[in-house]
Amino acid sequence: MTIGKALPLLFAVAATIIIALAAFLLISPQEDDSGLFKVYCNKKFSGLYWYMDKNTPWLPASVLDQFPENPGVTIDAANLRLNIDMGTQNIAMADEVVTDFVKTHAGTVYIPLQKIEDTIFVPLNTVYQFFRLSYSFSGNSIYLTSEYKASGKDAPPDFSAPKKTKWEQGSLRINLAWQYVNKATPEAPPKYDGLDIISPTWFHLITGGGGSVENNGDKGYADLCHERGYLVWATITNSMTVKGSTKFTTEVFSSPELLNKSVAQFLFYSCLYDADGINIDYEDVEDDDAAGLVDFTRALRGLAERQGLNLSIDTLIPKPWTIEYDRENLAKYVDYIAVMTYDEHWSTSPKPGSISSLPWAEQAVQDTLSEGVPASQILLGVPLYTRVWTINQRGKIASNKAAGMAFVRNLLESEGLEPEYLPYEQQNYVEYDDEGNTAKIWIEDAVSIKNRVGLAEKYGLAGTACWQFSQAADDIWPLFAQNNEQEPEQEPEQL
């Protein structure tokens, strides 16, 4: 459901002013012609003001006091959360099976809140259903209306997520880009030709959290992505960078209670923010948990399919040390497998080199195919970053900082550097003096992108998956759209 998407440009401009002067706006009622963002409840001015942040309207939490209480919803002021006991809620998912599963297993979920000065704000586009509200905009004002019915079969649900029409690919290759989210979701990207799916890293299994999931979703972001023609596949993780995550993932896989809770919460949050699909990114999993990862994927698949959501999973390249990914069986329960064909030379690599030379990536594709994954399910991982390898005078690696495309492009221009093409790696390369050290860069740019697209063409793959959006140069996206029809057996372009 998409509500209140079309707002005057004035909102965005005024929002900056309101945030900067929040305390004044909240405690100092103005005259009718003040131009402030006013909140009206059932046609009466509440004395409160709202602001817009990246397409999400935020209201003082106290405005909810003017409407009937939802006993299963409470505000945790200390942790800035709106806690929701799903077992107490009248919810309507795609069907009775999904509804009963979420009510039974999700437990307490939450919606993140914001605080300015001493005032707590709630994201209206995310919480309105739980208070049976409808809302509309007029000028600088927002109008809230209660749809509450105390009881009876005609009472509206506390939360509704109807079944979506599941997206099907068709004959054209697709391109996905992950968007890294650190608590606050970045701005929604403008529409680019050659970019079809945005996958924000929103939801994370909380290590030691009893099966609960960390929520960093943003409904306004999803709405804008949809407006601009993108699909949104929410990325879920096992918090692989958190100490103890590997052991806790094992614990969850071995406990039906914990596994069901995590599945129910991942599914609920994806529906809460109107995602079109779920992308599983479980890493640093124990080798012995290969079957557990398949079971988790199978459980999520059954519910996601009923809900009309696409399901994909990210895997490392096939190697003896990545047997935690049972690719043949995982492929039975997902629409796509994104092969993370990057970090051939990683942050602690003993020698410098390419993030992903084309022969290395091609071998990963061949090995994935040999493990029983159909080409029509494979997304080729594409790095949008590289590393600046600094080698000291003793021939040792002094540093290897990650760098996005814009950084490298600016470096080449400012230093007047001319890269050379490496026929084996099939990408550009440059090295230069850096204060007595030697800097080396295996460059990710239009050349490497075109060759990777050629690799997807050669093997008739479903498409590509890029890590990650913020590291890209804006002009590389159309390269994914060129010659976009799947035509197997074409050689990668040699530039």
Side-chain angles (χ1 to χ4, degrees):
M1 183 182 301
T2 303
I3 295 182
K5 296 191 295 186
L7 298 175
L9 179 61
L10 174 61
F11 285 5
V13 176
T16 303
I17 300 173
I18 287 179
I19 294 172
L21 302 176
F24 169 77
L25 296 177
L26 293 170
I27 65 175
S28 178
Q30 306 294 305
E31 296 179 357
D32 290 344
D33 61 354
S34 64
L36 302 180
F37 290 14
K38 296 180 178 181
V39 180
Y40 287 82
C41 299
N42 294 320
K43 299 182 180 180
K44 295 182 180 179
F45 178 47
S46 65
L48 300 170
Y49 300 86
W50 67 283
Y51 70 91
M52 180 69 74
D53 182 21
K54 291 181 293 189
N55 202 43
T56 290
W58 291 82
L59 276 65
S62 59
V63 76
L64 300 177
D65 295 338
Q66 301 190 36
F67 297 94
E69 179 184 9
N70 183 333
V73 180
T74 57
I75 290 179
D76 178 354
N79 295 302
L80 290 178
R81 293 181 173 184
L82 187 80
N83 291 327
I84 304 165
D85 180 356
M86 294 302 292
T88 67
Q89 301 300 291
N90 172 26
I91 66 173
M93 306 292 285
D95 57 28
E96 289 186 4
V97 172
V98 183
T99 299
D100 291 345
F101 186 88
V102 172
K103 280 182 63 68
T104 301
H105 297 291
T108 299
V109 297
Y110 73 94
I111 296 172
L113 308 179
Q114 292 186 6
K115 188 173 184 179
I116 299 177
E117 297 293 330
D118 294 324
T119 301
I120 294 176
F121 287 82
V122 298
L124 179 60
N125 57 3
T126 314
V127 308
Y128 75 96
Q129 287 197 59
F130 295 99
F131 296 91
R132 297 179 181 175
L133 300 174
S134 62
Y135 64 96
S136 60
F137 301 92
S138 179
N140 285 1
S141 299
I142 194 165
Y143 291 82
L144 304 178
T145 303
S146 176
E147 294 182 345
Y148 185 82
K149 294 181 181 179
S151 61
K153 64 180 181 180
D154 295 329
D158 298 311
F159 176 73
S160 176
K163 181 178 181 178
K164 284 177 172 279
T165 300
K166 185 179 175 182
W167 174 81
E168 295 184 3
Q169 180 172 357
S171 62
L172 299 181
R173 284 192 308 279
I174 56 175
N175 183 36
L176 172 150
W178 287 282
Q179 186 154 38
Y180 176 71
V181 174
N182 182 12
K183 303 300 182 183
T185 304
E187 295 281 352
K191 180 54 183 166
Y192 294 105
D193 290 337
L195 182 55
D196 309 296
I197 302 163
I198 301 294
S199 190
T201 58
W202 270 347
F203 311 127
H204 313 284
L205 183 66
I206 299 173
T207 300
S212 292
V213 170
E214 178 186 337
N215 171 20
N216 295 308
D218 188 316
K219 180 63 163 55
Y221 173 95
D223 288 343
L224 275 178
C225 285
H226 288 147
E227 282 185 18
R228 293 167 182 174
Y230 293 117
L231 293 170
V232 177
W233 292 359
T235 292
I236 66 175
T237 83
N238 62 332
S239 298
M240 51 277 196
T241 60
V242 175
K243 183 178 180 180
S245 65
T246 299
K247 181 179 179 180
F248 185 67
T249 300
T250 298
E251 183 179 344
V252 172
F253 286 166
S254 62
S255 166
E257 179 183 358
L258 297 183
L259 187 142
N260 286 338
K261 184 174 183 178
S262 67
V263 168
Q265 290 206 4
F266 280 135
L267 183 71
F268 168 74
Y269 284 134
S270 297
C271 293
L272 178 65
Y273 295 99
D274 198 24
D276 307 292
I278 298 173
N279 171 251
I280 303 169
D281 187 16
Y282 269 41
E283 300 182 41
D284 287 337
V285 175
E286 291 283 7
D287 291 351
D288 291 342
D289 282 331
L293 182 58
V294 172
D295 290 342
F296 168 76
T297 304
R298 180 192 297 115
L300 188 53
R301 172 64 171 207
L303 297 163
E305 190 73 13
R306 287 178 173 273
Q307 197 66 38
L309 305 181
N310 291 100
L311 187 65
S312 59
I313 190 168
D314 312 330
T315 69
L316 297 173
I317 65 171
K319 291 291 182 183
W321 56 87
T322 65
I323 60 174
E324 67 269 28
Y325 298 108
D326 181 351
R327 296 167 185 83
E328 182 177 9
N329 281 312
L330 287 172
K332 298 175 183 177
Y333 303 109
V334 297
D335 299 295
Y336 299 97
I337 289 182
V339 185
M340 295 183 283
T341 44
Y342 31 79
D343 278 348
E344 176 183 4
H345 296 86
W346 61 102
S347 61
T348 57
S349 178
K351 63 179 182 178
S354 173
I355 291 294
S356 176
S357 65
L358 207 69
W360 187 82
E362 183 167 20
Q363 186 64 56
V365 170
Q366 293 173 349
D367 291 343
T368 302
L369 290 169
S370 71
E371 291 199 3
V373 181
S376 60
Q377 287 183 258
I378 296 176
L379 299 177
L380 174 68
V382 177
L384 302 179
Y385 67 99
T386 186
R387 292 190 177 277
V388 181
W389 299 87
T390 304
I391 313 301
N392 62 26
Q393 296 177 5
R394 293 174 295 167
K396 302 294 185 180
I397 298 173
S399 64
N400 60 359
K401 295 180 180 179
M405 289 182 166
F407 174 88
V408 175
R409 180 179 294 178
N410 292 336
L411 175 69
L412 296 177
E413 292 177 356
S414 63
E415 299 297 325
L417 301 173
E418 290 291 336
E420 63 174 306
Y421 182 72
L422 302 180
Y424 176 78
E425 288 83 355
Q426 298 186 42
Q427 64 187 133
N428 283 325
Y429 168 83
V430 70
E431 66 177 66
Y432 57 96
D433 179 77
D434 182 14
E435 298 181 351
N437 298 322
T438 300
K440 301 182 177 184
I441 307 176
W442 284 259
I443 302 171
E444 296 295 337
D445 57 9
V447 170
S448 62
I449 294 296
K450 287 182 179 180
N451 284 335
R452 295 184 199 286
V453 170
L455 192 60
E457 291 176 354
K458 176 180 179 180
Y459 289 94
L461 305 185
T464 45
C466 303
W467 180 265
Q468 54 98 6
F469 177 82
S470 69
Q471 296 166 323
D474 291 345
D475 58 2
I476 61 99
W477 299 115
L479 300 177
F480 291 94
Q482 295 173 2
N483 304 314
N484 206 17
E485 297 215 11
Q486 295 186 8
E487 299 175 356
E489 306 307 327
Q490 292 184 10
E491 291 297 328
E493 182 177 358
Q494 302 292 321
L495 301 178

